[in-house]
Amino acid sequence: EIFDAVPDLILVTLANGEIYRCNRAVINALKLPFQQVLGKQISSLLHIEGATDEVLRPAEEASFIDFPGIYEVSTCPVNREDGAAGQIYFIRDVHEKVEREREIRYQKTYLQTLVNNLPIAIISLDLNGAIQAINPAFEHLFNYLAEEVQGQTLDALLVPEEERNQATNITSQVMEGTAVHAFRSRRTKTGELIEVELFGVPVEVNGVQTGALAIYHDIRELQRARQAAEEADRAKSDFLANMSHEIRTPLNGVVGMIELTLGTAITPEQEDFLLTARDSADNLMSLINDILDFSKIEAGRFDLEIIDFDLRSTIDGVTTILAQRAEAKGL
């Protein structure tokens, strides 16, 4: 009963390969009665796929033509009570084990491919801070080969002397289980200092920290782009300020001529026209001042002021300026 309860296929043969014992798992797999199994040659009943001969040999993974599944075949010698030599065959179904191993290998390959193709530098560290592995992006960024950095510490390898204390604090925090994000300078193999965005991430397996990951992102292009944007913004502000001043100069001349003309002998109708022109010039001057204020805002030198104004005269000025166009449109 114990023999038949074992789920593995067990066959006992004589030295010549003749089967004289088997358990029920063999009968269930072959779907044959005992009398058609006992006394037969094992090679005539069990055929491994792809085998070049009919001898059943031990194998870690074997598929049989006679029944489905993936099996592990192992053997051990045995002597019968009458002294005859024989062999015991153990055939264990390892389909689930093989599938799990394949899935693990797939996941490992997938993650390794992902890490190798990421454009950011990734370094795996042990609990002592020693480098275990790096990806190609690290080699490209810092000009080190994997064999050159294996077992070294990041602080000694990449950190410039003036930032050594800060780097030591960052490493301590990560090894104590705290993630870190910072912007720092790091040194390449050639001695060049580069600006990077760094992440320190503790690695835990089943709640136990086993090491850490250091991640470096090259931000030199971002810094150059930001610098170019800031320079363009300053150029725009300077242009606005200069143009506003340049426009004010001739506009002041226009306003001055209007004021001088108002002081001459003119008809009431001409005076009304000139007053309207002066109000328009004043509005244009106010608009130019607003542009100057905009440039002051960007430069951080803008001041607010509180002034009085006459609502009625403001509305009257607007209607006077727009009256001619409104009349032409029949409004």
Side-chain angles (χ1 to χ4, degrees):
E1 288 179 356
I2 295 175
F3 190 58
D4 284 337
V6 176
D8 298 343
L9 283 67
I10 303 176
L11 300 102
V12 187
T13 69
L14 298 173
N16 62 2
E18 179 185 328
I19 301 171
Y20 74 90
R21 289 290 304 274
C22 72
N23 67 346
R24 187 165 295 278
V26 175
I27 302 304
N28 293 335
L30 294 174
K31 295 181 172 54
L32 294 173
F34 278 104
Q35 57 269 27
Q36 293 186 27
V37 174
L38 300 181
K40 297 295 180 68
Q41 289 290 319
I42 190 170
S43 58
S44 67
L45 289 178
L46 301 178
H47 306 92
I48 295 181
E49 291 182 357
T52 57
D53 54 39
E54 295 183 351
V55 179
L56 184 61
R57 304 180 187 279
E60 292 183 357
E61 291 183 24
S63 296
F64 291 92
I65 299 174
D66 313 278
F67 46 87
I70 301 175
Y71 295 86
E72 179 183 75
V73 180
S74 59
T75 63
C76 69
V78 64
N79 290 320
R80 296 202 312 174
E81 293 84 348
D82 59 5
Q87 195 86 282
I88 300 180
Y89 289 85
F90 299 94
I91 303 175
R92 171 166 294 178
D93 188 352
V94 293
H95 175 77
E96 291 186 2
K97 173 188 172 184
V98 170
E99 289 299 321
R100 285 197 300 268
E101 290 176 348
R102 287 176 180 173
E103 179 64 22
I104 291 171
R105 286 195 297 269
Y106 170 79
Q107 292 292 342
K108 184 178 180 180
T109 302
Y110 174 81
L111 291 175
Q112 190 63 49
T113 302
L114 183 65
V115 170
N116 287 342
N117 287 281
L118 283 174
I120 55 177
I122 301 177
I123 308 94
S124 173
L125 308 172
D126 62 19
L127 287 174
N128 296 318
I131 298 174
Q132 293 181 312
I134 62 174
N135 70 337
F138 179 90
E139 295 180 344
H140 177 74
L141 181 60
F142 294 102
N143 298 317
Y144 283 105
L145 298 177
E147 55 267 23
E148 294 178 301
V149 302
Q150 189 77 31
Q152 296 198 52
T153 62
L154 277 181
D155 293 349
L157 190 70
L158 305 180
V159 179
E161 190 63 35
E162 59 272 17
E163 293 199 19
R164 191 62 57 83
N165 291 335
Q166 290 179 335
T168 300
N169 291 334
I170 290 174
T171 302
S172 298
Q173 291 181 51
V174 175
M175 291 306 172
E176 291 172 0
T178 302
V180 176
H181 175 216
F183 295 87
R184 293 288 184 270
S185 296
R186 289 297 180 263
R187 183 181 59 228
T188 67
K189 181 181 178 180
T190 59
E192 178 188 3
L193 288 180
I194 60 175
E195 296 298 319
V196 296
E197 180 183 16
L198 68 86
F199 297 86
V201 184
V203 176
E204 293 186 357
V205 177
N206 296 327
V208 178
Q209 185 170 348
T210 59
L213 289 179
I215 303 171
Y216 293 97
H217 180 212
D218 186 1
I219 60 173
R220 286 175 293 180
E221 287 296 329
L222 292 176
Q223 286 186 323
R224 283 192 283 267
R226 183 180 66 180
Q227 184 177 0
E230 290 174 348
E231 290 175 354
D233 191 57
R234 284 194 296 270
K236 180 189 69 175
S237 298
D238 292 341
F239 173 79
L240 285 175
N242 291 332
M243 287 301 298
S244 299
H245 282 294
E246 293 297 328
I247 294 172
R248 289 178 70 178
T249 301
L251 186 57
N252 282 326
V254 172
V255 173
M257 291 301 100
I258 292 174
E259 293 290 346
L260 290 176
T261 305
L262 284 172
T264 62
I266 55 177
T267 65
E269 185 180 16
Q270 290 173 327
E271 181 181 8
D272 184 57
F273 291 162
L274 288 173
L275 289 173
T276 301
R278 187 183 64 183
D279 290 341
S280 297
D282 289 340
N283 289 332
L284 181 57
M285 184 67 76
S286 176
L287 178 61
I288 294 172
N289 289 333
D290 288 343
I291 295 176
L292 281 173
D293 288 339
F294 178 74
S295 64
K296 290 180 181 178
I297 290 173
E298 291 194 331
R301 299 193 301 268
F302 183 70
D303 296 321
L304 294 177
E305 60 178 357
I306 300 176
I307 59 173
D308 295 329
F309 77 101
D310 188 335
L311 179 61
R312 291 182 179 277
S313 63
T314 300
I315 296 176
D316 184 61
V318 173
T319 55
T320 301
I321 294 172
L322 300 178
Q324 184 179 3
R325 281 182 288 173
E327 184 178 0
K329 294 180 180 180
L331 300 178

